Amino acid sequence: MYVAEFPAGADPKPFPVAAGRQAYLLCVEGQVDLLDDGIATKTLAQHDAAELQGPLDALAVCPTAGNKGHVLIFEMAQVSGSGRQDAEL
């Protein structure tokens, strides 16, 4: 489990998800962008979550412009057929 708190204007922090791994990211407070190779692919607001399936070598997290962000990330082994089947990032 990882916890990260981003002040407004913070630089993106890399969080790669290796092949065979998965992660759940919960935005506890504020608003954050998920970046893939430096491009925002998803914005999460307070209480939003994302399920991430590796490999994601260029994944990074940062607060959206003018916002702060606080996230919890749970990383684990990827198990075929586990997780949500209705949404994908």
Side-chain angles (χ1 to χ4, degrees):
M1 180 171 79
Y2 302 91
V3 178
E5 186 171 6
F6 300 96
D11 291 332
K13 300 298 180 210
F15 186 79
V17 180
R21 305 291 291 170
Q22 65 185 24
Y24 295 100
L25 187 146
L26 172 65
C27 181
V28 178
E29 180 180 30
Q31 190 170 337
V32 297
D33 283 333
L34 301 181
L35 307 169
D36 185 16
D37 207 19
I39 300 170
T41 58
K42 187 75 172 171
T43 298
L44 300 178
Q46 184 173 358
H47 301 152
D48 286 344
E51 180 176 310
L52 309 167
Q53 306 275 331
L56 295 170
D57 298 326
L59 181 69
V61 181
C62 71
T64 58
N67 289 290
K68 62 180 180 176
H70 192 177
V71 298
L72 295 174
I73 303 172
F74 301 88
E75 184 188 13
M76 65 209 76
Q78 188 173 1
V79 177
S80 180
S82 68
R84 295 179 58 172
Q85 303 301 313
D86 64 333
E88 190 172 311
L89 176 66

